[in-house]
Amino acid sequence: QKEVEQNSGPLSVPEGAIASLNCTYSDRVSQSFFWYRQYSGKSPELIMSIYSNGDKEDGRFTAQLNKASQYVSLLIRDSQPSDSATYLCAILQNTGFQKLVFGTGTRLLVSP
Amino acid sequence: DTGVSQDPRHKITKRGQNVTFRCDPISEHNRLYWYRQTLGQGPEFLTYFQNEAQLEKSRLLSDRFSAERPKGSFSTLEIQRTEQGDSAMYLCASSLAPEGEQFFGPGTRLTVL
């Protein structure tokens, strides 16, 4: 079982719709969770962090965390073509030091 | 406020050559990380510095790889006797706090011919 699992996609949504990206993780000890956006050929850009159960909203983005189910998701409201990118889910693995463990990413395509 | 910078952005080398990459973290960030990313995969952890001390190395970091962070400022990652399998994007990230968010630089894309 991979430590962080994501559907590779592509997830296709029309402009203006809600895009829902999902991630499951296996490490029950992890307390910190992140979503990064990565455009083709570029480096990951941090868009959301979440540390406690529930929802966290920032503009058009909402991160949701359920530690009991080991599940974290990202909702993008009013999706725009510029949101088309790969979204990487990452957990902070605390094994004496802190390193990020990433999923393989979900590719999102927003069509005009 | 400048972000993480990396140099060079692209490097093409022949198999067997040595290469060195540089990373300048966000000022005042005492934690610095190196990751490697290949096509279709998420970044994979390579090594971690807290100030000038290298505290952790991944098993991915063979003895051909060495990293330094003199004086706890910039860091270098050297690959000796490069192999075609070393071709990847090498990413540097920095953070301020143990549980803190990590911010990535633009990366160095290495191609080994």
Side-chain angles (χ1 to χ4, degrees):
Chain A
Q1 181 185 8
K2 291 183 179 179
E3 293 179 275
V4 180
E5 298 210 47
Q6 296 181 257
N7 187 317
S8 61
L11 172 66
S12 296
V13 300
E15 183 174 356
I18 296 175
S20 178
L21 304 161
N22 305 315
C23 171
T24 58
Y25 61 94
S26 59
D27 184 0
R28 289 189 170 274
V29 180
S30 294
Q31 296 293 321
S32 305
F33 306 86
F34 306 91
W35 283 99
Y36 287 82
R37 177 175 62 197
Q38 187 171 29
Y39 293 111
S40 180
K42 303 296 185 182
S43 65
E45 173 192 7
L46 180 67
I47 54 173
M48 289 289 285
S49 58
I50 187 165
Y51 304 96
S52 55
N53 280 328
D55 295 358
K56 178 182 177 183
E57 186 175 320
D58 184 2
R60 295 187 296 112
F61 298 100
T62 299
Q64 299 174 318
L65 174 61
N66 184 325
K67 292 183 181 178
S69 299
Q70 295 173 245
Y71 177 92
V72 58
S73 65
L74 179 70
L75 299 178
I76 306 175
R77 290 182 299 282
D78 188 24
S79 295
Q80 300 297 309
S82 58
D83 294 326
S84 297
T86 295
Y87 289 80
L88 297 163
C89 173
I91 67 172
L92 192 67
Q93 192 173 66
N94 192 340
T95 54
F97 71 102
Q98 292 80 29
K99 70 173 185 180
L100 288 175
V101 178
F102 286 85
T104 55
T106 298
R107 187 178 171 209
L108 173 66
L109 297 175
V110 181
S111 54
Chain B
D1 180 28
T2 58
V4 179
S5 61
Q6 293 186 247
D7 184 71
R9 298 289 299 276
H10 302 274
K11 179 69 176 180
I12 299 174
T13 191
K14 294 182 179 179
R15 188 177 54 183
Q17 297 296 304
N18 299 344
V19 295
T20 300
F21 309 142
R22 175 179 171 128
C23 170
D24 288 86
I26 294 171
S27 57
E28 299 175 356
H29 279 195
N30 61 340
R31 296 163 190 267
L32 186 148
Y33 304 79
W34 285 98
Y35 293 84
R36 180 173 68 187
Q37 186 177 25
T38 53
L39 195 63
Q41 301 298 314
E44 293 178 292
F45 169 80
L46 292 179
T47 191
Y48 158 63
F49 289 86
Q50 184 172 330
N51 298 312
E52 67 276 10
Q54 186 175 21
L55 297 185
E56 188 67 26
K57 291 171 62 174
S58 164
R59 58 180 172 77
L60 293 176
L61 217 63
S62 75
D63 56 5
R64 296 185 298 106
F65 288 72
S66 63
E68 295 182 340
R69 192 183 182 197
K71 302 179 183 178
S73 55
F74 69 93
S75 175
T76 59
L77 178 68
E78 180 182 17
I79 309 174
Q80 296 182 326
R81 305 181 303 281
T82 52
E83 301 173 356
Q84 288 186 324
D86 297 331
S87 296
M89 173 83 90
Y90 289 84
L91 295 161
C92 177
S94 70
S95 70
L96 183 58
E99 302 291 326
E101 299 164 334
Q102 294 184 22
F103 298 92
F104 283 85
T108 294
R109 183 168 296 282
L110 173 66
T111 302
V112 182
L113 302 176

